[in-house]
Amino acid sequence: NWVLAQTLPARPFASVAALVHALTAIVSRADAAQQMALIGAYAASADQAMQAALAHLQTMGAATAEQATQIHAQREAYAVRFGSPYVVALPGPRGTGLGVRAIADTWARRLRSHPDAERAEALRHVHRLAELHLHAQFSQAASLGRATWDGIEALSQFSEAPAGDVR
């Protein structure tokens, strides 16, 4: 993998977070074609994971047939618009998993994106998947990230308008 080949000479890394940061920096400096190739490499497995997760949610009664149909339609529209399958980090920002509603809402929002903005968003999800994989490989939890997320979530109650309130 070209990302790893360009990152490894900077060893040793002080932490998994430092390794993730170095990998992310290499990808950000890559040209659009290299970035799209990386997204494409993740997209096939991400698409399979999405389909498996949706089937599982339907089996458990957490997703309706209508929601599944909507997500499949969005999946096809995404492929037509952007030329590749959708990449989403299904574990979500906290690692607890995205629900059907969050997946559908994210997809609908991303379908309206400019291709450059969507490439950046897809790369954020690729980075998140890589980060989760590395944390699992090194048996580390991202406790500082969770604490940061909790703090930002608490702060947002003072800085964001309530849902549906457009100011």
Side-chain angles (χ1 to χ4, degrees):
N1 167 318
W2 61 270
V3 179
L4 199 53
Q6 291 181 35
T7 305
L8 288 182
R11 286 180 294 189
F13 298 101
S15 64
V16 173
L19 173 57
V20 169
H21 178 74
L23 291 164
T24 302
I26 294 295
V27 172
S28 349
R29 289 191 298 266
D31 64 33
Q34 288 176 302
Q35 291 176 346
M36 288 304 295
L38 181 64
I39 291 166
Y42 271 86
S45 61
D47 192 49
Q48 290 174 351
M50 171 69 72
Q51 291 180 53
L54 187 56
H56 176 71
L57 289 169
Q58 281 185 278
T59 302
M60 295 184 62
T64 66
E66 182 181 312
Q67 288 171 318
T69 301
Q70 176 191 6
I71 289 174
H72 284 298
Q74 288 173 320
R75 184 174 146 254
E76 290 173 14
Y78 184 94
V80 168
R81 175 153 165 71
F82 297 110
S84 70
Y86 179 72
V87 177
V88 64
L90 288 174
R94 299 182 65 86
T96 56
L98 295 176
V100 175
R101 185 88 205 134
I103 293 168
D105 289 350
T106 300
W107 223 327
R109 176 184 55 79
R110 288 176 63 180
L111 273 168
R112 295 187 303 268
S113 295
H114 183 277
D116 291 340
E118 177 49 30
R119 184 178 72 244
E121 179 76 8
L123 286 171
R124 280 190 289 278
H125 286 268
V126 167
H127 295 319
R128 177 68 176 138
L129 291 168
E131 177 185 34
L132 290 168
H133 176 74
L134 288 168
H135 279 288
Q137 289 295 313
F138 290 99
S139 301
Q140 292 186 355
S143 56
L144 181 58
R146 287 190 186 107
T148 302
W149 188 270
D150 291 343
I152 291 169
E153 195 170 74
L155 180 62
S156 72
Q157 69 180 324
F158 303 106
S159 62
E160 294 184 9
D165 183 9
V166 180
R167 295 178 190 206

